[in-house]
């Protein structure tokens, strides 16, 4: 009874409570049913004719009782229906204020970490699906992906089918991100909304405390955090540039960090167009970040890839690549009566094929070549 009463209280309300006073008609109807007619006494000369009538009445007595009880129940039901109609019942959610909800879903690389048989992102997507399917038609939902840059992947909508289709197509990225930036964007969007305003955060990292403290008055925040602390070694930066003193040689910047609580020793393999060109040892203390420069790599252009040979919680940050542009030798024609300094400058550049001619030897045809 308590559960039913709570459901009625939470889901339905009545606009005219005075109508329930008419329920006093129910005991009145029951009283009329229980009221027995007072029979009058008459003297007759013989009971022969009445005995047959009494036998017929006794045979139908049970049916008559049932018919009278059914009639009473119908009267009570009729009274209750009239009272309910007069009380003007209304579902509570029809009278409530509209709700604007933003689902902030973390799509950064760390959401690809597996927790059992599911990744953190799959767990977050299941939670988002639950929020969407439990929403009423007066609740509009926006999906905001918190990746490298916050991105609205679905504007406000109360169409469950549309929201679920967008959610099904959402995928995690291999990039880092800034959850706080996405939360700030969500707060700014909700500032222009009326009614109930709610931010739901689905991530593997908690919401910063100062954001909760600075939340606008009346704005609600819900968060679900997925995953546990895991050891991981990841590549933070990987870039290349030609050396100024030797343009045909590249310098490689490699930055890696140990996010775990134990020291790690592994190797970094360098591949140029899928061919192994170098192997470097990597040794990191717990929580250490190290930056290394590797010069004297060949100038042949192509795709340079680095791979950390260590399986861990997040394999996405164990590999990175950069493009080395193909370096071409340039033909230079130097027309001079004798400029040794300028000639030495060109000859010092390994990518320059220098030709020196006197002014008297110069022709337009030579320049075109």
């Amino acid at each position: 009874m308590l559960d039913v009463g709570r459901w009625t209280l939470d889901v339905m309300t009545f606009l005219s409570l005075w109508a329930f006073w008419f329920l006093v008609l129910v005991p009145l109807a029951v009283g009329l049913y229980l009221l027995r007619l007072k029979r009058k006494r008459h003297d007759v000369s013989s009971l022969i004719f009445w005995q047959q009538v009494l036998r017929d009445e006794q045979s139908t007595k049970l049916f008559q009782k049932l018919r009278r009880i059914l009639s009473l129940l119908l009267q009570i039901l009729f009274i209750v229906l009239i009272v309910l109609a007069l009380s003007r019942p209304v579902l509570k959610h029809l009278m409530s204020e509209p709700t604007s909800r933003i689902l902030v879903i973390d799509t950064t690389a760390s959401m690809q970490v597996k927790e059992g048989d599911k990744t953190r992102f799959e767990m977050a997507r299941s939670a988002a699906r639950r929020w969407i399917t439990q929403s009423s038609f007066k609740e509009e939902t926006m999906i905001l992906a918190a990746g490298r840059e916050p991105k609205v992947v679905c504007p406000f909508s109360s169409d469950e089918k549309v929201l679920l289709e967008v959610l099904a197509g959402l995928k995690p990225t291999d990039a880092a991100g800034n959850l706080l930036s996405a939360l700030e964007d969500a707060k700014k969007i909700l500032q222009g909304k009326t009614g109930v305003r709610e931010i739901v955060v689905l991530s593997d990292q908690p919401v910063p405390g100062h954001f909760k403290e600075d939340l606008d008055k009346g704005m609600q925040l819900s968060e679900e955090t997925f995953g546990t602390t895991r050891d991981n070694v990841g590549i933070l930066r990987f870039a290349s540039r030609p050396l100024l003193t030797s343009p045909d040689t590249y310098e490689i910047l490699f930055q890696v960090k140990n996010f775990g609580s134990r020291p790690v020793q592994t190797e970094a393999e360098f591949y140029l167009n899928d061919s192994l060109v170098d192997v470097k040892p990597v040794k990191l203390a717990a929580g250490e970040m190290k930056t290394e420069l590797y010069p004297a790599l060949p100038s042949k252009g192509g795709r340079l890839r680095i791979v950390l040979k260590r399986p861990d919680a997040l394999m996405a940050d164990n590999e990175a690549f950069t493009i080395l542009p193909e370096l071409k030798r340039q033909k230079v024609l130097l027309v001079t009566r004798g400029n040794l300094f300028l000639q030495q400058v060109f000859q010092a550049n390994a990518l320059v094929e220098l030709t020196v001619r006197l002014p008297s030897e110069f022709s337009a045809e030579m320049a075109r070549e």
Side-chain angles (χ1 to χ4, degrees), residues 11-228:
V11 176
M12 184 175 292
T13 187
F14 301 93
L15 301 181
S16 302
L17 294 176
W18 56 266
F20 287 99
W21 285 105
F22 287 101
L23 289 176
V24 297
L25 295 176
V26 173
L28 180 61
V30 174
L32 291 175
Y33 170 76
L34 296 176
L35 184 63
R36 294 190 177 186
L37 295 175
K38 187 176 181 180
R39 302 181 183 274
K40 294 182 180 181
R41 182 181 181 87
H42 293 278
D43 295 331
V44 293
S45 59
S46 176
L47 298 177
I48 297 175
F49 302 105
W50 295 101
Q51 288 175 351
Q52 182 64 36
V53 173
L54 290 174
R55 282 196 297 269
D56 294 341
E57 183 180 359
Q58 289 175 355
S59 63
T60 59
K61 190 172 183 181
L62 178 60
F63 173 75
Q64 289 175 350
K65 284 184 177 180
L66 292 174
R67 187 172 61 182
R68 287 197 297 268
I69 292 175
L70 181 60
S71 175
L72 174 64
L73 293 177
L74 289 174
Q75 292 176 42
I76 295 175
L77 178 62
F78 185 69
I79 293 172
V80 170
L81 290 177
I82 291 178
V83 170
L84 287 176
L86 292 174
S87 65
R88 298 168 62 194
V90 178
L91 293 176
K92 241 182 179 180
H93 69 80
L94 295 177
M95 299 182 61
S96 61
E97 291 183 307
T99 298
S100 299
R101 178 182 298 113
I102 298 181
L103 296 178
V104 180
I105 304 177
D106 194 340
T107 59
T108 56
S110 61
M111 294 296 286
Q112 298 184 47
V113 175
K114 274 204 167 186
E115 301 287 343
D117 58 342
K118 288 186 177 181
T119 64
R120 296 174 181 177
F121 181 79
E122 289 170 341
M123 297 166 67
R125 186 159 55 187
S126 297
R129 190 179 294 111
R130 185 182 71 249
W131 279 94
I132 292 172
T133 54
Q134 291 180 356
S135 299
S136 69
F137 72 95
K138 291 196 71 176
E139 298 177 338
E140 56 177 8
T141 303
M142 170 187 285
I143 300 177
L144 179 64
R148 181 186 294 273
E149 296 291 340
K151 181 181 179 182
V152 176
V153 294
C154 184
F156 281 111
S157 174
S158 56
D159 191 329
E160 180 179 314
K161 182 179 179 181
V162 172
L163 290 166
L164 291 178
E165 286 179 354
V166 173
L167 182 64
L170 193 61
K171 298 184 182 300
T173 65
D174 291 335
N178 188 347
L179 180 62
L180 182 59
S181 178
L183 294 176
E184 292 292 348
D185 284 0
K187 184 169 72 170
K188 291 177 183 177
I189 293 172
L190 288 179
Q191 285 173 347
K193 291 289 184 176
T194 58
V196 179
R197 300 170 297 168
E198 184 177 16
I199 300 175
V200 179
V201 185
L202 307 174
S203 174
D204 60 352
Q205 53 183 306
V207 176
H210 63 86
F211 178 81
K212 297 179 181 179
E213 296 172 358
D214 296 338
L215 206 61
D216 293 359
K217 184 178 181 181
M219 198 175 291
Q220 302 175 11
L221 176 67
S222 302
E223 62 176 315
E224 295 187 35
T225 307
F226 309 95
T228 55

Side-chain angles (χ1 to χ4, degrees), residues 348-360:
N349 192 332
L351 300 179
V352 172
E353 184 180 334
L354 181 64
T355 301
V356 182
R357 291 291 184 266
L358 294 172
S360 59

